Amino acid sequence: MTSGMSFQEIQKSYFKVFIALLVLTALTVAVTTIHFGDVANIVIGVFIALAKAGLVAYIFMHLKFDNKRLRYFVGVPVFFFVTLVLTLTMLGL
Amino acid sequence: MSTLATTQPRFTTGIYHGKLGMWVFLASEIMFFSGFFGAFIVLRNLNIEVFTASAHMLDKTVATINTAVLITSSLTMALAHLALERGEQSKFRLFLFITILCAFGFLGIKSYEYATKFGHHIYPWTNTFFATYFTMTGFHALHVIGGIIPMIWMLGKSLVKGYPQEMHHRVEVLGLYWHFVDLVWIFLFPTLYLIF
């Protein structure tokens, strides 16, 4: 299940992800104080959220360690979600 | 042997059934929340002034703290599973306990936010922004409560007779759900509080 990684390595990766999530949270709040333009600020916010989501799914939710086929399975609803959000956002621009 | 049959990776999917079941549920959950996000974007584009003015009334600082609380609970949930997988009962109990504390902390902070809004006479029917705000955060809070219940059950069981090490899969599956609740908040936080 944990594909060759030792307990210490996994624990270390959990703490690294935790620190990264806190840093990205601070970053996403910090960038709102700078005005890059309405669209740019939304794009930055979405990309930071996607990066955080990727870390959580990949490490905390074990997608990195599980059978690769699970990623395709999870990818289907994620694809629909991203397509919906992008389409509706672009329709409103 | 019945435990073995459901906790070993299956040939056809490469993962055990419990995990597949949770991922099927989470796939449906992604689509459930997609509807809210879709509605939010459409309503925002139609009422951009209302949404901007209303979003600025939200408390960013409190929401940032709440984000950190939920991220911490995700870490301790992952550590709780890791501890049980290695048979470390006391560590498992400690991490699970911290996870439950953080979950209640999140709900407490959320209640404070709601109470402040109600104090300013802001309700779900105030305008379309607050209608979507209360719907989305409300359903998210219900998911948090839905996670707390099995966590307390597991903690209770582990305090009475120790949680069986060979059932660490159950903790992993509950962890999947809990991390998903964290994931939803990761998207809700910038959407509601930050992009305006």
Side-chain angles (χ1 to χ4, degrees), chain B residues 92-111:
Chain B
F92 166 68
R93 272 196 289 269
L94 175 70
F95 287 133
L96 193 59
F97 180 67
I98 299 172
T99 311
I100 295 168
L101 274 189
C102 287
F104 275 113
F106 179 88
L107 287 179
I109 294 170
K110 202 77 228 154
S111 311

Side-chain angles (χ1 to χ4, degrees), chain A residues 14-78:
Chain A
Y14 286 167
F15 277 100
K16 276 187 193 163
V17 167
F18 174 65
I19 300 294
L21 289 173
L22 290 184
V23 170
L24 286 172
T25 302
L27 187 70
T28 194
V29 175
V31 292
T32 56
T33 58
I34 311 161
H35 193 76
F36 294 105
D38 289 339
V39 179
N41 274 70
I42 293 174
V43 170
I44 293 167
V46 168
F47 269 96
I48 295 176
L50 284 174
K52 289 167 79 179
L55 283 172
V56 171
Y58 204 56
I59 305 295
F60 282 169
M61 298 175 90
H62 296 167
L63 282 183
K64 184 186 178 190
F65 314 116
D66 278 324
N67 192 293
K68 306 279 179 288
R69 270 170 281 182
L70 185 59
R71 295 179 198 175
Y72 298 108
F73 178 83
V74 179
V76 174
V78 170

Side-chain angles (χ1 to χ4, degrees), chain B residues 23-43:
Chain B
W23 273 112
V24 170
F25 173 64
L26 293 184
S28 79
E29 287 276 87
I30 292 172
M31 292 186 269
F32 175 79
F33 279 100
S34 292
F36 288 139
F37 280 96
F40 180 88
I41 297 166
V42 171
L43 290 170

Side-chain angles (χ1 to χ4, degrees), chain B residues 68-133:
Chain B
V69 169
L70 211 55
I71 289 171
T72 309
S73 79
S74 248
L75 171 73
T76 53
M77 187 75 221
L79 291 173
H81 169 249
L82 204 57
L84 188 66
E85 200 178 7
R86 284 166 51 87
E88 297 170 331
Q89 289 286 339
S90 56
K91 263 194 182 176
F92 166 68
R93 272 196 289 269
L94 175 70
F95 287 133
L96 193 59
F97 180 67
I98 299 172
T99 311
I100 295 168
L101 274 189
C102 287
F104 275 113
F106 179 88
L107 287 179
I109 294 170
K110 202 77 228 154
S111 311
Y112 163 77
E113 269 191 273
Y114 275 17
T116 315
K117 289 287 158 291
F118 296 153
H120 290 106
H121 301 289
I122 294 167
Y123 302 102
W125 52 88
T126 301
N127 61 36
T128 39
F129 174 82
F130 283 107
T132 45
Y133 165 81

